[in-house]
Amino acid sequence: RKEVEQDPGPFNVPEGATVAFNCTYSNSASQSFFWYRQDCRKEPKLLMSVYSSGNEDGRFTAQLNRASQYISLLIRDSKLSDSATYLCVVNNAGNMLTFGGGTRLMVKP
Amino acid sequence: NAGVTQTPKFQVLKTGQSMTLQCAQDMNHEYMSWYRQDPGMGLRLIHYSVGAGITDQGEVPNGYNVSRSTTEDFPLRLLSAAPSQTSVYFCASSYSAGAHTEAFFGQGTRLTVV
């Protein structure tokens, strides 16, 4: 079993739609959680950290459920520019980042 | 504002050849790491360093060596290239090894071993 699992997608949604991704992690001692965005043939870039209380950044909302060991990312009012691969990332100790395989999102006009 | 710089961007090697992938950062970050990304598998940690003179193995270290003689540079050496090392390699750095520290990535090196 992979340590961090994501549905690879692709998720094909129309502009303006709301889309949600989930991610599960296996290490209950994991300390911190992130969503990174990766455009095609580019490097990953931090989208947002995920805090226990949940956090929002504009159209993006991240939630963490430690009891069930899953993380979610909600994107409201999808834009064409949101098309990318979203990587769920878990930090277990000392910045040892463990990446999920990524979920591909395609937003269509 | 260079950030993390990787060279080369593309490389083709023959089986058995050796080479060094270069990584440099100008943010005075203590923590640096190397990942490889294969289709559908996410990024996997090869080696990392928490400061000059200190390195350690990650999840997939076999066939790779690293050294950290300065804070800025963290080269990755392929000792004897194999087709299984065909991948995209990313170098990353962060200010510290703290739990919520953002990692900054270089643009990647696309390596093909034939």
Side-chain angles (χ1 to χ4, degrees):
Chain A
R1 183 189 171 189
K2 289 183 182 177
E3 195 168 336
V4 180
E5 296 210 57
Q6 296 181 249
D7 181 343
F11 285 61
N12 295 295
V13 303
E15 269 188 295
T18 296
V19 61
F21 309 136
N22 288 331
C23 161
T24 59
Y25 61 95
S26 60
N27 187 344
S28 59
S30 296
Q31 298 179 348
S32 54
F33 311 89
F34 309 88
W35 285 101
Y36 276 72
R37 171 190 167 129
Q38 186 173 27
D39 293 303
C40 187
R41 302 178 75 83
K42 299 283 191 181
E43 73 273 23
K45 293 184 179 179
L46 179 67
L47 177 66
M48 58 197 305
S49 297
V50 187
Y51 300 108
S52 297
S53 55
N55 48 300
E56 189 173 306
D57 183 1
R59 298 181 293 108
F60 299 84
T61 300
Q63 300 244 321
L64 168 63
N65 185 320
R66 283 191 184 270
S68 301
Q69 293 181 208
Y70 81 77
I71 308 147
S72 65
L73 176 68
L74 182 77
I75 305 175
R76 290 180 298 278
D77 189 22
S78 298
K79 312 289 185 192
L80 295 175
S81 57
D82 293 334
S83 297
T85 296
Y86 291 84
L87 303 169
C88 177
V89 184
V90 172
N91 184 343
N92 292 325
N95 216 358
M96 294 278 284
L97 299 181
T98 301
F99 287 76
T103 298
R104 189 172 171 207
L105 171 65
M106 298 179 68
V107 181
K108 302 199 181 287
Chain B
N1 208 10
V4 180
T5 302
Q6 285 183 241
T7 56
K9 287 189 169 53
F10 302 93
Q11 183 70 50
V12 178
L13 288 179
K14 293 182 179 178
T15 297
Q17 285 185 313
S18 62
M19 79 159 294
T20 299
L21 279 60
Q22 302 291 345
C23 176
Q25 52 91 8
D26 62 358
M27 298 175 282
N28 201 30
H29 285 170
E30 289 296 321
Y31 189 90
M32 297 186 73
S33 51
W34 276 101
Y35 294 85
R36 60 178 287 173
Q37 185 173 32
D38 302 298
M41 297 194 68
L43 281 76
R44 292 183 291 167
L45 182 65
I46 304 171
H47 285 284
Y48 66 97
S49 168
V50 298
I54 306 169
T55 64
D56 208 343
Q57 296 180 351
E59 179 186 357
V60 287
N62 292 341
Y64 308 95
N65 273 355
V66 292
S67 60
R68 185 93 180 271
S69 56
T70 67
T71 299
E72 294 78 19
D73 300 298
F74 190 44
L76 177 73
R77 280 182 286 280
L78 278 70
L79 308 173
S80 177
S84 60
Q85 293 179 305
T86 294
S87 189
V88 181
Y89 292 84
F90 288 101
C91 177
S93 75
S94 58
Y95 177 66
S96 73
H100 287 283
T101 304
E102 178 180 358
F104 294 86
F105 287 83
Q107 292 183 311
T109 297
R110 296 184 177 275
L111 175 68
T112 302
V113 182
V114 297

